[in-house]
Amino acid sequence: MSHKRIPKRKAAIAVGGVVALGAAAILLPSANASQDGAPDDAAAAPRTLKAGDASDLAARLAGTLGDAYAGAWYDGEDKRLVVNVVRGEGDMALKVRSAGAEVREVDNSMAELQAGAGTLKSEAPIPGTSWAVDPRTNKILVTADSTVTGDKWDRLESTVESLGSGMATLKKSEGTFRTFVSGGDAIFAGGARCSLGFNVTAGDGSPAFLTAGHCAAAGDAWSDQQGGEPIATVDQALFPGDGDFALVRYDDPATEAPSEVNVGGQTVPIVQAAEATVGQQVFRMGSTTGLADGQVLGLDATVNYPEGTVTGLIQTDVCAEPGDSGGSLFTQDGLAIGLTSGGSGDCTVGGETFFQPVTTALEAVGATLGDGGGAAAGDQADGQDAGAEQDGAGGDQGVQEQSDMGSDRHSGLTRTH
């Protein structure tokens, strides 16, 4: 794909867009301490962990436990990792405790839950529905928006019931699942507006950024001003299907593209990409609504948008609105988690929002975060020791909401329209 050249840019687009925040944010040192140096005799009790370290530990335990592993989630209040172990696997439960995580025995194995999700995909791929495994309930969380009525609702309800008792929960959302693209400011193409997610380095060393794949449908050439000259060109994009992401290359190879998120005049350094953990606190930055926060609710989510089905997403209760598509999902201590895909509701009444995992997007497009000096995408996601060290390093500066943020931004699952 050809790239349009422009005069040298020495200032990069601020990641997530420079916007006036309805809820201001300040940069403060991270309050969470790493667990490095914990005494060996504390292994029998659950350790206090940062969310990034908990994600790494969950990945290690998933490999160790095999079929006995039934998911994990992060208890943000106690800062502990809770690991589900299939009932009756006492030896495996002991391994979890020895690793410093809390054990919970459950009935549904991960294989059974994934099989249930496969049944939903084959029997009820209805636009306006979504599903994801919720390790906190050890069930599949199935959601239907306001368009799922009549025969479509009956079909969905019947499919959920066919999975058997205790396998899934079905809830109704009053909103409508849609992608969050709109017209306005931030990054523009063909009259559409989206948000820049994270600056990255493409496989050939050139500067680029990630955004939502559905944004690429608006056009190949993107500008940082409405009606302005293009500054970047779509190189790769996927939507719908196994993700919602796009790699957009800056037209000027001398563009400086810092690995950071602009949260309204201040920046959060992004130190690495990381996997999401259910229960983890996350922040979203977008060109429409600015900064919002919430929790991860589910992983490997499937969403049936009107344009088609997208798999492998992160489900959260963070709000978003049209124009926020592609915007960054990150943690207080600088971990890049996701790219805004879509959902229902808005930032007045709340809703469900889905995100493309950054780790899988980086792997798919062959890019690395920032200047490419860190680990490759796979190493960023899987490297255990490096992940814990960088997680702590990113804590020098983080995001903390001011006390008025909760009144301006609702991140809970509430009424939508």
Side-chain angles (χ1 to χ4, degrees):
M1 190 174 292
S2 61
H3 294 183
K4 183 171 181 178
R5 298 295 300 276
I6 61 174
K8 179 182 288 189
R9 279 176 67 86
K10 285 299 183 182
I13 297 178
V15 179
V18 179
V19 298
L21 296 180
I26 57 175
L27 298 177
L28 292 175
S30 173
N32 294 336
S34 176
Q35 192 63 21
D36 293 342
D40 292 338
D41 58 7
R47 291 189 296 157
T48 298
L49 296 168
K50 294 171 63 176
D53 296 334
S55 177
D56 291 340
L57 178 57
R60 293 199 299 272
L61 287 172
T64 300
L65 301 180
D67 293 341
Y69 178 78
W73 57 281
Y74 182 64
D75 183 338
E77 182 175 348
D78 293 333
K79 295 182 172 55
R80 293 177 177 178
L81 177 68
V82 182
V83 177
N84 293 337
V85 175
V86 176
R87 200 176 305 280
E89 297 284 352
D91 291 344
M92 295 301 181
L94 180 60
K95 290 183 178 180
V96 171
R97 294 189 182 95
S98 297
E102 183 177 331
V103 177
R104 187 178 67 159
E105 291 190 336
V106 297
D107 295 321
N108 298 321
S109 70
M110 186 59 69
E112 290 171 330
L113 292 169
Q114 291 173 341
T119 298
L120 287 163
K121 182 178 180 180
S122 62
E123 301 295 331
I126 302 166
T129 62
S130 71
W131 49 82
V133 173
D134 179 5
R136 287 178 290 193
T137 62
N138 189 229
K139 296 180 181 180
I140 304 167
L141 174 61
V142 183
T143 307
D145 73 11
S146 59
T147 68
V148 182
T149 59
D151 291 342
K152 291 188 292 185
W153 172 262
D154 293 341
R155 176 183 172 191
L156 180 63
E157 189 175 41
S158 174
T159 303
V160 169
E161 290 175 352
S162 74
L163 300 179
S165 176
M167 279 294 293
T169 57
L170 176 60
K171 60 168 288 188
K172 188 79 169 178
S173 171
E174 295 185 28
T176 301
F177 290 153
R178 67 197 190 282
T179 53
F180 291 128
V181 63
S182 183
D185 60 29
I187 56 173
F188 304 84
R193 169 167 59 91
C194 280
S195 298
L196 189 152
F198 297 98
N199 281 323
V200 299
T201 300
D204 62 358
S206 61
F209 63 83
L210 294 176
T211 189
H214 68 264
C215 291
D220 290 336
W222 285 82
S223 173
D224 58 350
Q225 297 181 18
Q226 189 170 22
E229 289 295 317
I231 63 161
T233 304
V234 175
D235 182 78
Q236 303 177 52
L238 177 64
F239 177 83
D242 296 329
D244 183 5
F245 56 86
L247 177 71
V248 186
R249 293 177 184 261
Y250 289 104
D251 294 333
D252 184 351
T255 298
E256 294 180 358
S259 186
E260 59 189 28
V261 174
N262 186 312
V263 293
Q266 301 180 79
T267 59
V268 177
I270 298 299
V271 296
Q272 71 176 93
E275 302 289 350
T277 304
V278 171
Q280 179 179 27
Q281 183 189 31
V282 286
F283 294 84
R284 178 198 52 73
M285 189 67 190
S287 64
T288 298
T289 57
L291 188 67
D293 80 309
Q295 284 193 1
V296 175
L297 300 181
L299 305 178
D300 197 22
T302 295
V303 186
N304 295 295
Y305 292 122
E307 300 91 339
T309 299
V310 181
T311 61
L313 301 182
I314 301 165
Q315 183 170 352
T316 78
D317 62 4
V318 184
C319 71
E321 296 182 7
D324 288 330
S325 279
S328 46
L329 185 73
F330 60 100
T331 67
Q332 178 179 351
D333 42 9
L335 300 179
I337 301 296
L339 307 166
T340 307
S341 174
S344 67
D346 56 33
C347 286
T348 299
V349 296
E352 302 88 4
T353 305
F354 301 92
F355 296 84
Q356 164 66 46
V358 169
T359 51
T360 54
L362 287 172
E363 182 178 5
V365 302
T368 53
L369 276 171
D371 61 7
D379 294 335
Q380 290 169 338
D382 300 328
Q384 311 305 336
D385 296 334
E389 292 172 2
Q390 291 190 34
D391 190 29
D396 290 341
Q397 284 189 316
V399 179
Q400 180 169 316
E401 303 162 288
Q402 290 185 339
S403 59
D404 63 346
M405 184 170 181
S407 62
D408 292 333
R409 294 284 179 253
H410 299 267
S411 59
L413 287 173
T414 56
R415 182 181 180 276
T416 58
H417 62 253

